[in-house]
């Protein structure tokens, strides 16, 4: 029986009370193999928590769902995460209206798999992608090109056959093999009836395609072109499944895979979408990189690139920070963040406000506003709700307009 553990990023710990020692070690091994350079786990003695990343990890016996701490319940946090991923198009496929409207249970893995299957099945219904593949065979009649050397070697005593090479128009190509491998990875964990039906329908289209071991898949040979461009979203999703799949003492069967997303990047992208709801597209510049903090007197070149998250109407700078601005009932900030904002407000001459924007907590304190001495410029800390997109837009309007 597969067990699901839901934890909140940077908040809830997984301990020996939640998993067995074997399950704990399997999770550690998987994270070391697939996220070796990312700061994803905060590990203490026989306990750990996830930091900076959200999403789902499926191990052989346990499913871990990591959600952002946004609202009161973990279930609401799951739905809020799915909506954020949908709104930002952070994943290569869109979620169904049922998920976006909050009508489903909001479990992460079924939602991700549903999105993948819907997109793939829609395209398979329109027609399989076929390619011409080189093929050699000893035939009863001539087809394509005669391979003379091989023909002489193979058919010395068979005068009725001819050894030929030809191009075969086939469904058994690397793209369809990628889809089939991805489907078999998630098949074991697709327990919902609707998911099983969709998955089996996809596999029925791919019946004549070879099931290739994930270690043997040649993803570099998969090229998107005019003939298969419609499969782009499904391809990106399938690659995501394959790249995060691992095998541990399970023969050839995949025991672990994941969909994890950097929360700071997701939060920034989410705020960008909401900002463009408040302002027009040309009034919001993301990752502005045209200013330098210093000028080298000898070379005349600018040094130390400044790259604020958003410059709005050339008069406001906003930087997103995925961390709590309220800790133990007090406003908390990092001095280096303020130094960075000070550099922005001094360098961008027309900018009058620099805002550090945080996700709002259940009990948010009033945050400070600093004045730059002898100017009308300010550096401010603000927090915004992210449990609902339109609440986010409304609060951004109140903060910025």
């Amino acid at each position: 029986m597969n067990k699901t553990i839901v934890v909140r990023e940077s908040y809830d710990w997984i301990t020996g009370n939640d998993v067995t020692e074997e399950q704990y070690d399997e999770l550690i091994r998987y994270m070391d193999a697939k996220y070796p350079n990312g700061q994803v786990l905060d590990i203490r003695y026989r306990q750990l928590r996830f930091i900076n990343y959200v999403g789902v990890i499926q191990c052989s016996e346990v499913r871990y769902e990591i959600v952002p701490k946004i609202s009161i319940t973990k279930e609401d946090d799951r739905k809020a995460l799915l909506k954020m991923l949908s709104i930002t198009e952070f994943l290569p496929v869109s979620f169904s209206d049922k998920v976006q409207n909050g009508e489903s249970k909001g479990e992460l893995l079924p939602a991700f798999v549903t999105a993948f299957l819907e997109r793939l099945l829609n395209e398979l219904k329109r027609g399989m992608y076929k390619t011409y593949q080189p093929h050699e065979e000893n035939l009863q009649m001539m087809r394509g090109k005669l391979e003379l050397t091989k023909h002489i070697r193979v058919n010395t005593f068979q005068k009725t056959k001819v050894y030929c090479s030809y191009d075969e128009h086939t469904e058994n190509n690397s793209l369809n093999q990628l889809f089939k491998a991805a489907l078999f990875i998630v098949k074991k964990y697709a327990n919902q009836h609707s998911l099983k039906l969709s998955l089996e329908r996809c596999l029925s289209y791919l019946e004549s395609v070879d099931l290739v071991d994930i270690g043997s898949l040649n993803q570099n040979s998969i090229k998107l072109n005019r003939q298969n461009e419609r499969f782009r979203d499904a391809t990106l999703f399938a690659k995501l499944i394959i790249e995060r799949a691992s095998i541990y003492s399970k023969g050839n069967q995949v025991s672990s895979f994941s969909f994890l997303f950097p929360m700071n990047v997701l939060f920034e992208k989410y705020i960008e979408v909401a900002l463009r709801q408040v302002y027009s597209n040309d009034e919001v510049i993301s990752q502005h990189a045209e200013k330098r903090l210093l000028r080298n007197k000898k070379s005349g070149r600018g040094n130390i690139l400044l790259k604020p998250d958003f410059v709005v109407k050339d008069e406001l700078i906003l930087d997103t920070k995925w961390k709590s601005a309220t800790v133990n009932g007090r406003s908390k900030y990092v001095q280096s963040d303020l130094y960075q904002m000070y550099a922005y407000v001094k360098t961008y001459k027309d900018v009058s406000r620099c805002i550090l924007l945080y996700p709002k907590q259940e009990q948010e304190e009033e945050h400070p506003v600093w004045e730059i001495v002898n100017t009308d410029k300010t550096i401010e800390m603000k927090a915004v709700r992210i449990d609902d997109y339109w609440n986010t837009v409304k609060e951004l309007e109140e903060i910025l307009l």
Side-chain angles (χ1 to χ4, degrees), residues 138-397:
N138 208 26
L139 301 173
Q140 296 286 353
M141 61 184 65
M142 183 68 185
R143 181 179 179 184
K145 177 184 175 183
L146 173 66
E147 295 292 334
L148 184 58
T149 302
K150 293 180 180 179
H151 171 74
I152 293 172
R153 184 176 68 248
V154 172
N155 294 319
T156 303
F157 303 105
Q158 294 189 70
K159 304 302 182 183
T160 60
K161 288 196 172 184
V162 56
Y163 197 94
C164 307
S165 64
Y166 56 93
D167 289 334
E168 183 179 28
H169 201 216
T170 178
E171 301 166 350
N172 191 25
N173 51 61
S174 54
L175 179 62
N176 289 329
Q177 289 168 4
L178 174 78
F179 292 148
K180 192 164 187 174
L183 290 170
F184 268 85
I185 288 173
V186 301
K187 182 179 181 180
K188 180 180 177 182
Y189 306 103
N191 298 321
Q192 295 180 3
H193 181 66
S194 58
L195 283 184
K196 289 181 179 179
L197 286 178
S198 295
L199 196 145
E200 291 301 329
R201 291 184 68 186
C202 288
L203 287 175
S204 67
Y205 281 102
L206 299 168
E207 186 176 3
S208 62
V209 176
D210 292 341
L211 178 59
V212 180
D213 182 81
I214 62 171
S216 305
L217 278 172
N218 185 11
Q219 294 193 43
N220 292 330
S221 66
I222 299 173
K223 306 296 183 184
L224 294 176
N225 51 47
R226 286 181 298 176
Q227 283 72 40
N228 60 15
E229 176 65 26
R230 59 192 176 90
F231 287 98
R232 175 178 292 276
D233 289 348
T235 301
L236 294 174
F237 209 119
K239 285 184 175 181
L240 185 62
I241 295 171
I242 299 296
E243 288 168 1
R244 294 303 182 188
S246 287
I247 301 172
Y248 290 120
S249 305
K250 304 288 179 179
N252 290 323
Q253 291 192 357
V254 169
S255 64
S256 306
F257 63 95
S258 67
F259 302 101
L260 290 186
F261 315 98
M263 192 61 214
N264 61 326
V265 179
L266 178 58
F267 179 51
E268 180 184 326
K269 182 64 177 175
Y270 176 78
I271 294 300
E272 179 179 355
V273 175
L275 273 176
R276 297 188 187 280
Q277 186 78 44
V278 177
Y279 297 94
S280 63
N281 275 336
D282 57 355
E283 290 178 321
V284 179
I285 302 174
S286 62
Q287 298 297 312
H288 191 266
E290 295 181 5
K291 300 284 187 180
R292 303 275 176 169
L293 179 61
L294 304 174
R295 184 176 65 85
N296 189 314
K297 289 187 68 174
K298 290 186 177 180
S299 67
R301 294 179 179 176
N303 293 148
I304 307 181
L305 177 67
L306 298 178
K307 197 173 183 181
D309 291 343
F310 304 105
V311 177
V312 182
K313 298 179 66 175
D314 294 326
E315 61 188 30
L316 183 149
I317 283 178
L318 189 148
D319 255 20
T320 57
K321 301 295 178 185
W322 179 253
K323 50 191 172 186
S324 177
T326 298
V327 178
N328 297 325
R330 299 182 61 183
S331 183
K332 182 181 178 182
Y333 57 86
V334 179
Q335 283 195 357
S336 59
D337 291 338
L338 296 183
Y339 295 151
Q340 184 181 46
M341 301 304 277
Y342 181 79
Y344 292 159
V345 80
K346 293 293 286 184
T347 304
Y348 286 76
K349 302 303 181 184
D350 295 329
V351 166
S352 59
R353 298 175 70 194
C354 281
I355 298 175
L356 289 164
L357 190 68
Y358 302 83
K360 184 174 284 188
Q361 304 299 307
E362 295 164 24
Q363 295 180 337
E364 195 72 41
E365 289 299 304
E366 191 71 26
H367 297 298
V369 175
W370 294 275
E371 294 179 340
I372 308 301
V373 179
N374 297 325
T375 74
D376 294 328
K377 296 174 180 250
T378 59
I379 297 174
E380 309 168 32
M381 291 176 63
K382 298 290 183 181
V384 66
R385 288 176 62 178
I386 58 173
D387 59 327
D388 178 83
Y389 174 68
W390 293 110
N391 285 335
T392 304
V393 171
K394 180 181 177 181
E395 292 200 354
L396 277 178
E397 289 176 340

Side-chain angles (χ1 to χ4, degrees), residues 4-238:
T4 299
I5 297 174
V6 183
V7 294
R8 290 165 292 182
E9 181 263 342
S10 298
Y11 190 78
D12 296 321
W13 293 85
I14 295 174
T15 70
N17 295 326
D18 303 305
V19 294
T20 66
E21 184 174 345
E22 182 181 3
Q23 291 166 345
Y24 183 93
D25 290 340
E26 181 186 12
L27 176 60
I28 295 290
R29 290 196 306 270
Y30 175 77
M31 298 305 293
D32 286 344
K34 291 300 174 181
Y35 301 89
N37 301 318
Q39 188 180 4
V40 185
L41 295 181
D42 179 10
I43 302 177
R44 310 287 173 86
Y45 179 70
R46 302 310 295 177
Q47 63 177 346
L48 61 83
R49 64 179 174 178
F50 293 89
I51 55 175
N52 303 324
Y53 281 76
V54 293
V56 60
I57 302 168
Q58 177 66 66
C59 290
S60 57
E61 298 176 344
V62 183
R63 180 180 303 164
Y64 304 90
E65 292 191 356
I66 308 100
V67 297
K69 189 176 183 299
I70 295 172
S71 55
I72 296 175
T73 69
K74 295 177 184 177
E75 289 73 18
D76 289 339
D77 288 342
R78 288 197 296 195
K79 290 184 178 180
L81 173 59
L82 289 172
K83 288 181 181 179
M84 290 179 74
L85 291 168
S86 297
I87 288 166
T88 58
E89 299 181 353
F90 209 81
L91 278 174
V93 296
S94 300
F95 294 112
S96 65
D97 292 338
K98 209 171 180 183
V99 171
Q100 292 190 45
N101 294 333
E103 298 171 14
S104 73
K105 293 181 180 179
E107 294 178 50
L108 298 184
L109 186 60
F112 296 153
V113 174
T114 296
F116 171 50
L117 294 178
E118 284 181 351
R119 183 57 59 88
L120 178 59
L121 186 56
N122 284 339
E123 297 306 329
L124 291 176
K125 287 177 180 177
R126 293 175 56 190
M128 294 282 291
Y129 172 62
K130 295 184 178 182
T131 56
Y132 285 98
Q133 301 286 336
H135 188 77
E136 293 185 0
E137 193 174 358
N138 208 26
L139 301 173
Q140 296 286 353
M141 61 184 65
M142 183 68 185
R143 181 179 179 184
K145 177 184 175 183
L146 173 66
E147 295 292 334
L148 184 58
T149 302
K150 293 180 180 179
H151 171 74
I152 293 172
R153 184 176 68 248
V154 172
N155 294 319
T156 303
F157 303 105
Q158 294 189 70
K159 304 302 182 183
T160 60
K161 288 196 172 184
V162 56
Y163 197 94
C164 307
S165 64
Y166 56 93
D167 289 334
E168 183 179 28
H169 201 216
T170 178
E171 301 166 350
N172 191 25
N173 51 61
S174 54
L175 179 62
N176 289 329
Q177 289 168 4
L178 174 78
F179 292 148
K180 192 164 187 174
L183 290 170
F184 268 85
I185 288 173
V186 301
K187 182 179 181 180
K188 180 180 177 182
Y189 306 103
N191 298 321
Q192 295 180 3
H193 181 66
S194 58
L195 283 184
K196 289 181 179 179
L197 286 178
S198 295
L199 196 145
E200 291 301 329
R201 291 184 68 186
C202 288
L203 287 175
S204 67
Y205 281 102
L206 299 168
E207 186 176 3
S208 62
V209 176
D210 292 341
L211 178 59
V212 180
D213 182 81
I214 62 171
S216 305
L217 278 172
N218 185 11
Q219 294 193 43
N220 292 330
S221 66
I222 299 173
K223 306 296 183 184
L224 294 176
N225 51 47
R226 286 181 298 176
Q227 283 72 40
N228 60 15
E229 176 65 26
R230 59 192 176 90
F231 287 98
R232 175 178 292 276
D233 289 348
T235 301
L236 294 174
F237 209 119

